[in-house]
Every structure is written in C-alpha cells, then in structure tokens.
Amino acid sequence: MTSVKEQAAISRLLSFLQDWDNAGKVARSHILINFIETNQGKTAPELEQEFSQGASLFLVRLTTWLRLTYMTGSRLDKLLRSIGIFLSAVSSNRYLVEFLEVGGALTLLEILALKKIEEEDKKESIKLLQVIANSGRKYKELICESYGVRSIAEFLAKSKSEETQEEVQILLDSLIHSNPKYQNQVYKGLIALLPCASPKAQQLSLQTLRTAQSIIGTTHPGIVDGVLKVLRTVHLEVQYEAIELIKDLVNYDVCPALLKGLVALLIPSFEETSKQQSQIVSDSSVLQLTAHLPLFLQQAAAAKAIGILARGNTSLAEEMLHLRVVHGLMAAMGNTDHSNSQRQASLTLEYFVQLFPVVEEHVRRSMGEELYKLFRVSAPAPPRPAGRNSAPVHAPAHGPSPCTPHTQIGLGAGGGRDCPGLGFSAWHPSVPFPALAVRLRAWPQPATSVCPRPTPSSGCPGIQPSSPCSCPQSNAEDLYVKMDSIQADILAANKVNVTKAIELIKDLVNYDVCPALLKGLVALLIPSFEETSKQQSQIVSDSSVLQLTAHLPLFLQQAAAAKAIGILARGNTSLAEEMLHLRVVHGLMAAMGNTDHSNSQRQASLTLELFPVVEEHVRRPMGEELYKLFRSNAEDLYVKMDSIQADILAANKVNVTKAIELIKDLVNYDVCPALLKGLVALLIPSFEETSKQQSQIVSDSSVLQLTAHLPLFLQQAAAAKAIGILARGNTSLAEEMLHLRVVHGLMAAMGNTDHSNSQRQASLTLEYFVQLFPVVEEHVRRSMGEELYKLFRSNAEDLYVKMDSIQADILAANKVNVTKAIELIKDLVNYDVCPALLKGLVALLIPSFEETSKQQSQIVSDSSVLQLTAHLPLFLQQAAAAKAIGILARGNTSLAEEMLHLRVVHGLMAAMGNTDHSNSQRQASLTLELFPVVEEHVRRPMGEELYKLFRSNAEDLYVKMDSIQADILAANKVNVTKELCLSGLSDSTMSFYFGLCNRGQVAYITHFQKEAVEERE
C-alpha cells in the first residue's frame, strides 16, 4: 500500500491535471508561467518527483495542446518553453521519445512555415529542434527525413530577426556534424541559401558552408556560381564571408573554375550593364547610382578577392596570369562608373607587377609612360624643417605625425595610408568593417621604396621628423583620382572592350550590308599613308609628346578592326571564310608590323591565330624564327620581335585563297578527274609519310603537340575544305567524288585526333554530303552508330571536341563504300541477268519466315535487347532492295513495268508494314510513290485514311500509322497484273507466286503480327 505522503502527492497531481483540463486559455497561460518559474533547469528525476512520477501525463497534455492550437496563430512561446524544460532536462531521453512518437518534430517544422505565428514563437521552435538534434545521430536523421533541412533553410532566408537567424545557424551547424547520412543534404541546402535576399542569412550560410566544406571534403559544382553571385552584395560583412569561403575553396577541385569565374567578373558583359543602366532615369544626379550596380560591386569584390588569393599563394597568381587577369584588372581600372572597382583593381595589379617582372613591361606599354608613372610612383614628400626635436609642419601637437607610417586593418586589400610618400605594409589582415581601422605605430617596409629603412631614435618609435622619406613610392591606390577620362578609356580598352560599336557590327553581319562591312573592316587594317602622315604632322617635335602617336585615331581604329574581325571569326566560320577571300591575313600581318601602336599588333596577332587553315601561307613570309615566336605566344609577339621582323610583316603579300581559287578553276579542264582523285587521296595520309615526320620530333611530351602541325595533316585539312567548296559549287563534282569513295576518306579524316582542324573541316564537308545525298546518310549512320551520329547531326563543326578516342578509331577505320553495290546493280540490268536480278530484288522485299525466326532465336529475352531486331541483316537487305528498286524505276520505265509483273507493289506494301525496321518502311514507301499507275490497287487495301497519309507525306508515313494499319499493309494481297499473269506467265512462274513461296510469305506476315501483339501486351 502507498503511504499517506504518496497518496497526498498523487492527489495533488490529479488536482493539478484536473485544473489544467478545466482551464481556459488565460488560466493555462498562468499555469505555464508558474511551471516555467518553478521547474527551470530541473533534471528528469526532479521533474518526476515534482509530479509524483507522473510528469509524462503533463507532457502529453502540453504536446496535445500544441498540436491543437499551433494552426490558429495564437502565442506559443510559453507552451514551447514548457516543453523545452522536459526535453532539455538531464536524463530526459524518455520525454524526448514520447514527444517524437506523437509527431513533435513534424509539428515544430510546420510551425516554421506558418505565416500567422510570431517570430518569437518560431525562435522557440528552433531551440527545441536544437535540443532534439543535439541528442544524437538518429535524432538528426529523423529531422532530415522529415524534410527538415528544406524547412529550416527556407525559414532562415525569410526570417526578419537576426537573433532567430543565429539560432538557425546553430541548428544547421549541429545537423552538419556527426550526420554522415544527410550531411550532403544540409550542404546543398546551404548552397541554395546563397542567392536569398536576406544579407544576414547569406552571411550565416557562408560561415556554416566553410565548416561543412571541411567536413564533407568534396565540393558541389553549384557552389562556384553561388559564391561568385554573392559578391554582388552591398553588405561588406557578406562580402567578407564570401571571400573567406573562396580562400577555402581554392584548395579543392573547383579551384580552376573559381579562378576563371573571378577573372571573368573583372569585365562585366555589355548586355548586363546596359540592361541595368536603362532602368536609371536621365536626371544627372540620379546617374550616380550607376556606382551601385550589382555587376560593378561584383567587379570590385572580384578584384579584391584576386588580390587576396594572389598574396596568399604565388601558384594561384601564376594560374590567374594564364587566365589573362592582368588585362581584366586594367579593364576594371578603366571603369569610371565605379571608383571602388578602379581602386581594388589598381591595388591588385600593383601586386602582380611587383611579383612578376614580366608583367611590368606589358603594363607599362599598355598604359603609356605618363599613366604608368602615376600608377607606380608619386611625388616625393615635401621637405621638413631641420632639427632633432622640431615639430612637423602642419602637424598637431598630439597624435601621430602625418608622415608616421601605420598599418590600416580594413576590408580593402592593402589597407590605407595618410602619407603619400609611404607604400603599403606587406601585412594586410582583413576584418569585416573598414570603419574599424586600427592604426599601429609600426614601420611598414614600402613595397616599392628604394631607400633604406631609417633607424628610429630612442625617444620615438617612428620616423624622425627631421628625416622625411623622399624616395619615389607606390601610388596605385589613388590612381583613379588622378587619371583623366582618356587614360581611363585606354585602360578599359586593353582587354575585351565590350562597346556598342562591336555589338552593332555583330548584328549588322546578319543583314545585306555584311559584304561591305567585312570589306571595310579588312581595309581598316592597313591605314593609308596620307591619313597617318597628315595626323602625325600635327604632333610637335618634343620627344615626350611623340608617345601620343600610339593613340592616333587611325591606329585605334586599326586595333578595333582587328579585334572585331576576331570576334566575328570566332562566332561564324562562314564569315571567316569570306574575310579570307578579302585578304584578311595580309591585312592582319601588316597590322602586326605597326610598331607605332602595340595594341594593333596584339589584337592582329590574336586574330591571326584564329585562322589555322592559313598556316603554311603565314609561315613562309614570317620565316621560321618569327613563326615559332608567333605560335608559342601570339599575344606577346609584339614585345619579342625586332624592327626588321616588323618590317617583314608590314610588307607581306600573303594571298591565302590563291591555291583554292586555282583548284576551282582547274576542275573545268581535263585534269579534273586526277585533281578530284588527288584531293580525296589526301584525306588519308600514308602511314610511311606520317611516321617519317613524327620520328623527327623529340620525346619531350610537350613537344609532341607539334604533331598537330605536320604538313601532311595540314594538307589533309585543306583537302577536306577544298572538297567541301567544290561540292557546294557543283553537284556533279560531288557525285564524281562519291564514286571516288570521298565519304570513306572524310570519315577517316574525322578520326585523326592528331589534328583538330582536319577533323573539323572533314566533319563540315561530310555534313554537306549527308544533306545533299540521302543515299549517304544510311551508310554514315550505320558506320558511326546512333550515339555518334546524333552528335554529328546536332553540331558537326564541334564534333571533334565531344567524341572520345574509341569513336575516333571507329571513324578512322571505317569501310564505307556508298555506291558500290547499287552501281553494280545499275550496270547488271543491261545484261541477260536482268530478269533474275529484278526477281531477286522483289523477293528480298518479303524475307522468309525461316530466316528471320532463325536469327531472332539468337536474341535473348531481355526487352531492351529486342531492339536489336532492327539490325537484322535480312531487314537491312530488305531496305536496300526497296531503295535499289526505286533507283532503277526512276532511271528506266521499262524496268518499272517488268517489276510490276513481278508483283513489286505487293512486296513494297509488305515491307511498309514491317514495324521492326523503320528504314524498310521508309524506303518502301518512297519507292511505292513512284508507281502512280497502280493508284487504285493501292488505295483499296490501304483504306482512305491511310492512303491520304501516304499521299500527303510518303517519307514519314511509318511514323504516323498505327499497328493495325501496319498489319493491313503486311497482309495485303495486291496483284496488279493478275490478268497478264494468267494469260502470259509460265506454270513455274505461277507456282512461284501462288505455291510454296506464297505460303512462306503468309507465314512471315503471321509471325510478325503475332510478335507485334505480344510486344503490345
């Protein structure tokens, strides 16, 4: 029996529970307040003692009331805190299990998504979820399995309270630890938060991502794009976290994509910037808002991040050099719409110039001497009064001297300065807010100073006022303040100058002014002597002013034309070919020789590199030495070549298309057959020649790349191109080359992985042959296989990039001979074997049941393997027979009549019903269309509906007809010439039509009807 004390305790518990059950909303609120004040921080045994071992009875009432009221939008904070006392108590595992068993976790997650519930209540819900997650791995998995990651992430993005968002971060951090099953789900949820509109959510998700990344070890491809877009933010604390994450990510496999993306952000696209600027009104005061365009903020942040990465890791700096970061930084320095972009890019470029001596010369030449001096050097500090204890001029009595160096710790890379005579400290720690600048009385060694470090006096830790630094110092940070608009334009045009003019040119080439436009662009590559001398005469004789010749309008126009030609050539191969006929190579080489304007040389060199087909023509006038320099580094060629080589380029007489034009003329003479035969033969270089040349190449793996430039491969690519030009210009030449097995040669050239231009030219030419001759398509498709053929048809020009080595070997080893069999048939019908030949062709239209079933029995029962029936030799033979019959019928009416007597119409209709081989259906349908005399006989068995489909589009009939219509065709009994057969044909022939063979045909048809029904079932 229970003691009196225990009975009293049970009585109190029952009374308490009865009060709760009978209480209204207000009374229950008071009960909860008293419960929270009395039991906060108690352990599970203490709670059980308080409730006479019946604490679970009160917990279940709290849980039930929560589930009943949370949808109404009433306040839940006290109720959730009360539940939290149970769940957070020491040794509370029983309470936790009871809460989760009634769906407590799902209820808490649903609370986060409801708009009616107060932010404070949702915060309490997050705290309860933290308690659950911290209880062990299986509870974390329970939250994740309840779509918890998505609900929590969405709440973090939408929450308006920073305190609540920080609680959510704690929860997500808990879910990422010790949760291997769902840690990737949390990781992806954090990446999905990056584009959200809440800056605090972005900051917290970036912080948590750094932790998650170190735990998971592998990266998600979407993280690069997500973190780069965050750089558009105006919130410096978010930008700081993004850069910190970038510093971590460069240690993972996404490093190349990340660096490439950062460099690309230095030059915002014209479309994006103009789209955003169009939303700004015309009021001049409002135009200042362009400084806050997200793309410009992103540009400044990218420049800053690049500087931080380069300072931290020299190898990353070298990688970015290969990505043309210097040109991107100079373009950003020229962005007068956003001063912070200019400042950050200038600071980062300064570091690259200091780190890589090779960069300095390129930057100096592009900037010009005057601007480069502003960039690298400032005026010396003004003189100070002599005297050991003299106070500095204009200096306050207290505080740091104006010339006392300090290190500023701020968001800006490189810190700041007060004295123009001092450089930056080599140590640049970063903190989220530049306003929290801490000035330290320390001596930073100037990055570009050439004076020794002064020794501080015993009384002052800084510089002695009487000994000012008078050496030239770096002044990159303030460059944007001092340079004028022309200098800014020079910088902005250094890299890709996305201007309206070039965008307009790209549009105009689609209109009828294209020929005149291309001709004008090529003409601009060689400015006339009169124009250049006229402008030069206006320049004074002062040597410093002569530097301005680099900026003559005609030379600027020349450089812009070279650049525009490059852009057009990259975007459209046909435009590149048109410009070849306009002697664009001659003009580009002339521009490369213009030593008065380095940008003309650079742009022309880069554009000339885009025309590999003209290699031999360029090599000869350049000479081997200069050509090697050009091929090794086209962009920097103008730095390395001397004046004699420049003169050679300027005076070149290259005419690229002379050889091809000569070939186009020669095909009109008696040498045409030999010429075509030679061109086709060049598509497959002999093994002896290629191996002989390759043996001259040393074993260094880097040098083996030179195999791409073997003369035989250049000849192969040129031959493929010439064949394409001839075929497009004259169909009869294309037919002659078909007989010379040109398709086989083109496919072999497409498989030459040692020379990408051979693959490209051959692919483009083969595409034309496939389009021009339907007979070629089936042979090419069969040799390539479906997968490779789809790639070929979708984009022939870029096929060589997408195909693998096995597919290349298949092409190189092809045995395509398109017209061999059909040409032989066309010849044989002129001899006495013609009747037997026609009879055999018609018989092939209906393969015997024994043959087809014999081959099908070798195919396993797997449904996916049944597709192989489409490639049965008999069905291929059936399709080829239908096609050959069509060719013969087109060429000779008497042969068509003979085949009518052989019941060709019956056979063609049966082949049209072969649903196991679509090409048989298509070829038979096209051939049947050639026999209009039998229209009435065909209309009756087909029926009106199917006949209309047949007459409207015979080629695609097999796609549109259903299985019943196919069965009707396969079982047709058409006998067009029945009376002729009865009156004139022999008994042996009659037995062929109506005897045993006819039974075989019926068996064949019945077999396929049965197969079709079984497949549908």
Side-chain angles (χ1 to χ4, degrees):
M1 293 182 64
T2 58
S3 65
V4 175
K5 187 182 286 188
E6 290 174 343
Q7 287 178 351
I10 293 171
S11 178
R12 282 198 307 273
L13 173 61
L14 294 175
S15 176
F16 174 78
L17 294 176
Q18 189 174 8
D19 290 342
W20 173 267
D21 293 338
N22 296 329
K25 188 180 292 185
V26 177
R28 287 187 175 186
S29 180
H30 289 304
I31 293 172
L32 291 176
I33 292 171
N34 292 332
F35 173 76
I36 293 168
E37 291 174 354
T38 307
N39 298 287
Q40 188 71 47
K42 285 187 177 181
T43 63
E46 289 172 339
L47 287 172
E48 287 297 327
Q49 186 178 359
E50 177 71 22
F51 285 91
S52 303
Q53 308 306 315
S56 295
L57 296 174
F58 185 51
L59 175 60
V60 75
R61 281 167 169 78
L62 295 177
T63 307
T64 304
W65 191 33
L66 174 66
R67 290 172 62 80
L68 289 173
T69 58
Y70 80 95
M71 297 288 287
T72 62
S74 57
R75 291 303 302 266
L76 303 172
D77 54 337
K78 298 182 187 68
L79 179 57
L80 291 170
R81 274 189 224 140
S82 301
I83 295 173
I85 289 173
F86 284 99
L87 300 187
S88 60
V90 178
S91 304
S92 62
N93 190 60
R94 190 182 73 180
Y95 302 142
L96 183 60
V97 171
E98 290 172 359
F99 179 72
L100 295 176
E101 281 179 349
V102 295
L106 282 171
T107 303
L108 295 176
L109 291 171
E110 287 175 10
I111 287 172
L112 300 179
L114 294 176
K115 295 181 180 179
K116 296 179 181 179
I117 298 178
E118 297 290 333
E119 190 84 13
E120 192 63 30
D121 298 341
K122 293 180 180 180
K123 180 180 174 183
E124 293 299 329
S125 179
I126 288 291
K127 287 181 177 179
L128 287 183
L129 287 168
Q130 289 175 11
V131 172
I132 296 171
N134 292 333
S135 298
R137 173 176 166 180
K138 65 178 181 180
Y139 299 108
K140 291 176 183 178
E141 291 178 356
L142 176 64
I143 293 173
C144 295
E145 286 167 359
S146 305
Y147 301 99
V149 174
R150 180 176 177 179
S151 301
I152 294 165
E154 287 179 355
F155 175 60
L156 176 58
K158 295 175 183 177
S159 177
K160 305 298 181 186
S161 167
E162 291 193 0
E163 291 181 6
T164 306
Q165 288 176 317
E166 287 170 358
E167 294 293 340
V168 176
Q169 184 200 19
I170 295 170
L171 175 57
L172 287 171
D173 188 70
S174 175
L175 291 174
I176 201 71
H177 286 87
S178 304
N179 188 14
K181 187 174 181 181
Y182 291 104
Q183 63 185 14
N184 271 310
Q185 189 182 100
V186 182
Y187 176 60
K188 291 176 184 176
L190 290 167
I191 294 173
L193 277 170
L194 294 180
C196 73
S198 169
K200 187 66 176 178
Q202 287 180 312
Q203 181 189 8
L204 296 174
S205 60
L206 286 165
Q207 287 175 354
T208 314
L209 265 174
R210 293 181 63 194
T211 305
Q213 191 62 68
S214 62
I215 293 171
I216 293 173
T218 58
T219 55
H220 187 273
I223 196 171
V224 173
D225 188 51
V227 75
L228 291 179
K229 285 183 178 176
V230 171
L231 295 177
R232 297 183 180 188
T233 181
V234 297
H235 301 274
L236 297 179
E237 67 277 11
V238 179
Q239 187 188 108
Y240 169 78
E241 294 296 344
I243 292 175
E244 289 299 309
L245 179 58
I246 286 170
K247 287 165 65 178
D248 291 344
L249 288 175
V250 293
N251 300 315
Y252 295 91
D253 55 353
V254 294
C255 179
L258 189 61
L259 297 181
K260 188 175 180 182
L262 280 172
V263 174
L265 292 178
L266 294 173
I267 307 178
S269 68
F270 173 75
E271 292 78 7
E272 288 291 331
T273 52
S274 58
K275 186 162 101 180
Q276 294 197 35
Q277 283 178 325
S278 64
Q279 300 165 6
I280 297 171
V281 298
S282 59
D283 181 6
S284 60
S285 64
V286 180
L287 286 176
Q288 303 304 321
L289 293 174
T290 56
H292 306 297
L293 286 174
L295 289 175
F296 294 161
L297 293 169
Q298 194 179 29
Q299 181 188 46
K304 179 183 167 184
I306 288 168
I308 291 172
L309 295 176
R311 288 180 182 89
N313 192 329
T314 309
S315 63
L316 292 180
E318 290 178 1
E319 284 187 51
M320 289 187 282
L321 273 186
H322 292 286
L323 296 171
R324 304 195 63 197
V325 69
V326 174
H327 303 287
L329 290 169
M330 291 179 70
M333 286 169 65
N335 179 9
T336 54
D337 286 327
H338 197 232
S339 60
N340 196 40
S341 290
Q342 295 179 287
R343 176 176 166 274
Q344 297 292 352
S346 189
L347 290 170
T348 301
L349 181 61
E350 182 188 33
Y351 180 76
F352 276 92
V353 168
Q354 293 168 2
L355 187 62
F356 301 106
V358 70
V359 173
E360 185 173 1
E361 186 61 30
H362 297 284
V363 173
R364 184 196 299 268
R365 187 167 313 190
S366 298
M367 285 189 175
E369 285 300 322
E370 183 182 353
L371 182 57
Y372 187 76
K373 284 178 183 176
L374 287 175
F375 170 64
R376 290 289 285 156
V377 180
S378 68
R384 304 292 179 83
R388 179 175 174 181
N389 299 317
S390 300
V393 178
H394 306 301
H398 303 284
S401 165
C403 200
T404 300
H406 66 273
T407 301
Q408 181 177 353
I409 304 176
L411 188 64
R417 67 172 71 80
D418 284 344
C419 174
L422 293 174
F424 292 107
S425 168
W427 178 58
H428 306 293
S430 297
V431 296
F433 304 100
L436 303 178
V438 181
R439 297 187 176 184
L440 306 176
R441 295 182 65 82
W443 175 259
Q445 180 68 20
T448 56
S449 176
V450 293
C451 66
R453 178 185 298 184
T455 305
S457 65
S458 58
C460 177
I463 307 174
Q464 296 183 16
S466 60
S467 304
C469 174
S470 60
C471 65
Q473 304 295 338
S474 167
N475 193 28
E477 187 173 9
D478 301 326
L479 177 65
Y480 70 96
V481 181
K482 299 176 181 178
M483 66 181 174
D484 56 31
S485 58
I486 296 174
Q487 292 168 328
D489 289 343
I490 291 169
L491 290 171
N494 175 266
K495 171 62 169 116
V496 177
N497 188 5
V498 186
T499 60
K500 288 183 180 178
I502 290 180
E503 292 299 317
L504 182 60
I505 286 172
K506 288 168 71 177
D507 290 338
L508 288 175
V509 294
N510 300 317
Y511 297 92
D512 54 358
V513 296
C514 177
L517 186 64
L518 297 181
K519 189 175 180 181
L521 281 173
V522 174
L524 290 176
L525 294 174
I526 310 180
S528 67
F529 174 75
E530 292 77 9
E531 288 292 332
T532 53
S533 57
K534 180 175 164 186
Q535 292 198 35
Q536 283 179 322
S537 65
Q538 300 166 7
I539 298 172
V540 297
S541 59
D542 182 6
S543 60
S544 63
V545 180
L546 286 177
Q547 302 300 323
L548 293 174
T549 56
H551 309 301
L552 284 174
L554 288 175
F555 293 161
L556 292 172
Q557 195 177 32
Q558 180 188 46
K563 180 179 175 183
I565 288 168
I567 291 171
L568 295 177
R570 283 185 193 92
N572 192 325
T573 311
S574 62
L575 293 179
E577 291 179 2
E578 286 187 50
M579 289 187 282
L580 279 180
H581 293 281
L582 296 171
R583 299 194 65 194
V584 69
V585 177
H586 165 60
L588 289 170
M589 290 180 69
M592 286 169 65
N594 179 9
T595 54
D596 286 326
H597 196 232
S598 60
N599 198 39
S600 290
Q601 294 179 287
R602 177 177 162 272
Q603 296 291 353
S605 188
L606 288 171
T607 301
L608 182 60
E609 198 177 23
L610 298 173
F611 293 89
V613 69
V614 300
E615 184 169 2
E616 191 59 34
H617 297 276
V618 173
R619 186 195 297 265
R620 279 200 299 270
M622 280 191 178
E624 284 302 318
E625 182 182 356
L626 182 57
Y627 185 76
K628 284 179 183 176
L629 288 175
F630 169 68
R631 292 302 289 168
S632 63
N633 192 349
E635 185 171 7
D636 298 330
L637 177 65
Y638 68 96
V639 182
K640 299 174 183 175
M641 66 180 174
D642 55 33
S643 56
I644 297 174
Q645 292 170 325
D647 290 342
I648 291 171
L649 290 174
N652 81 90
K653 299 293 182 185
V654 172
N655 192 345
V656 176
T657 55
K658 191 173 181 182
I660 291 179
E661 291 300 318
L662 182 60
I663 288 173
K664 288 168 71 176
D665 291 341
L666 288 174
V667 294
N668 300 316
Y669 296 91
D670 54 357
V671 295
C672 177
L675 186 63
L676 297 181
K677 187 175 180 181
L679 281 173
V680 174
L682 290 177
L683 294 174
I684 309 179
S686 67
F687 173 75
E688 292 77 11
E689 289 292 331
T690 53
S691 57
K692 180 174 158 189
Q693 294 198 34
Q694 284 178 324
S695 64
Q696 301 165 7
I697 296 172
V698 297
S699 59
D700 181 7
S701 60
S702 62
V703 181
L704 287 176
Q705 304 302 322
L706 293 173
T707 57
H709 308 298
L710 287 174
L712 289 174
F713 293 161
L714 294 171
Q715 196 177 31
Q716 180 188 47
K721 182 179 176 182
I723 288 168
I725 292 171
L726 295 176
R728 288 181 182 90
N730 192 327
T731 309
S732 62
L733 292 179
E735 290 179 0
E736 286 187 49
M737 288 187 283
L738 271 186
H739 293 281
L740 296 171
R741 299 194 65 194
V742 70
V743 176
H744 164 61
L746 289 171
M747 289 181 71
M750 285 170 66
N752 180 9
T753 53
D754 286 326
H755 197 232
S756 59
N757 197 41
S758 291
Q759 294 179 287
R760 178 176 164 273
Q761 296 292 351
S763 188
L764 289 171
T765 301
L766 181 61
E767 184 183 35
Y768 181 75
F769 275 91
V770 167
Q771 293 168 356
L772 187 63
F773 300 105
V775 69
V776 172
E777 184 175 3
E778 186 63 28
H779 295 276
V780 172
R781 184 196 299 268
R782 193 173 310 156
S783 298
M784 286 189 175
E786 283 301 320
E787 183 181 355
L788 182 58
Y789 186 75
K790 284 179 183 175
L791 288 175
F792 168 67
R793 294 298 286 162
S794 63
N795 190 350
E797 186 168 7
D798 297 332
L799 177 65
Y800 68 96
V801 181
K802 300 174 183 176
M803 65 180 174
D804 55 33
S805 56
I806 297 174
Q807 293 170 326
D809 290 342
I810 291 171
L811 290 172
N814 82 89
K815 300 294 181 185
V816 173
N817 193 346
V818 177
T819 55
K820 189 175 180 182
I822 292 178
E823 290 301 317
L824 182 60
I825 288 172
K826 287 168 70 177
D827 290 341
L828 289 174
V829 293
N830 299 317
Y831 296 92
D832 55 357
V833 294
C834 177
L837 185 64
L838 298 181
K839 186 177 178 180
L841 282 173
V842 174
L844 289 176
L845 293 175
I846 308 180
S848 69
F849 172 72
E850 290 78 9
E851 289 291 332
T852 53
S853 57
K854 180 174 162 187
Q855 293 199 34
Q856 283 179 323
S857 64
Q858 301 165 7
I859 298 172
V860 297
S861 60
D862 181 7
S863 59
S864 62
V865 181
L866 287 176
Q867 304 302 322
L868 294 173
T869 57
H871 307 298
L872 287 174
L874 290 175
F875 293 161
L876 294 172
Q877 194 178 32
Q878 180 188 46
K883 184 177 178 181
I885 288 168
I887 292 171
L888 296 176
R890 284 186 191 91
N892 194 325
T893 311
S894 62
L895 292 179
E897 290 178 1
E898 285 187 49
M899 287 187 284
L900 276 180
H901 292 281
L902 295 171
R903 298 192 65 194
V904 70
V905 176
H906 164 60
L908 288 170
M909 289 180 70
M912 286 170 64
N914 180 8
T915 53
D916 285 325
H917 197 232
S918 60
N919 197 40
S920 291
Q921 295 180 285
R922 177 176 164 272
Q923 296 293 351
S925 187
L926 289 172
T927 300
L928 181 61
E929 199 178 23
L930 298 174
F931 292 89
V933 69
V934 299
E935 182 174 2
E936 189 59 33
H937 298 275
V938 172
R939 184 195 298 265
R940 277 199 303 271
M942 280 191 178
E944 284 301 320
E945 182 181 355
L946 182 58
Y947 186 75
K948 284 179 183 176
L949 288 175
F950 169 68
R951 295 300 288 165
S952 63
N953 191 350
E955 185 170 9
D956 298 331
L957 178 64
Y958 69 97
V959 181
K960 299 174 182 176
M961 67 180 172
D962 55 33
S963 57
I964 297 174
Q965 293 170 326
D967 289 343
I968 292 171
L969 290 172
N972 81 89
K973 298 294 183 182
V974 173
N975 192 345
V976 177
T977 56
K978 187 174 181 182
E979 293 183 3
L980 292 174
C981 290
L982 292 174
S983 60
L985 293 178
S986 65
D987 292 340
S988 60
T989 309
M990 291 290 291
S991 66
F992 171 79
Y993 287 119
F994 302 109
L996 295 173
C997 186
N998 198 47
R999 285 195 294 273
Q1001 292 167 4
V1002 174
Y1004 159 79
I1005 294 163
T1006 307
H1007 164 71
F1008 279 107
Q1009 289 174 338
K1010 180 181 178 184
E1011 286 283 300
V1013 171
E1014 289 176 352
E1015 188 174 348
R1016 284 197 298 276
E1017 289 176 350

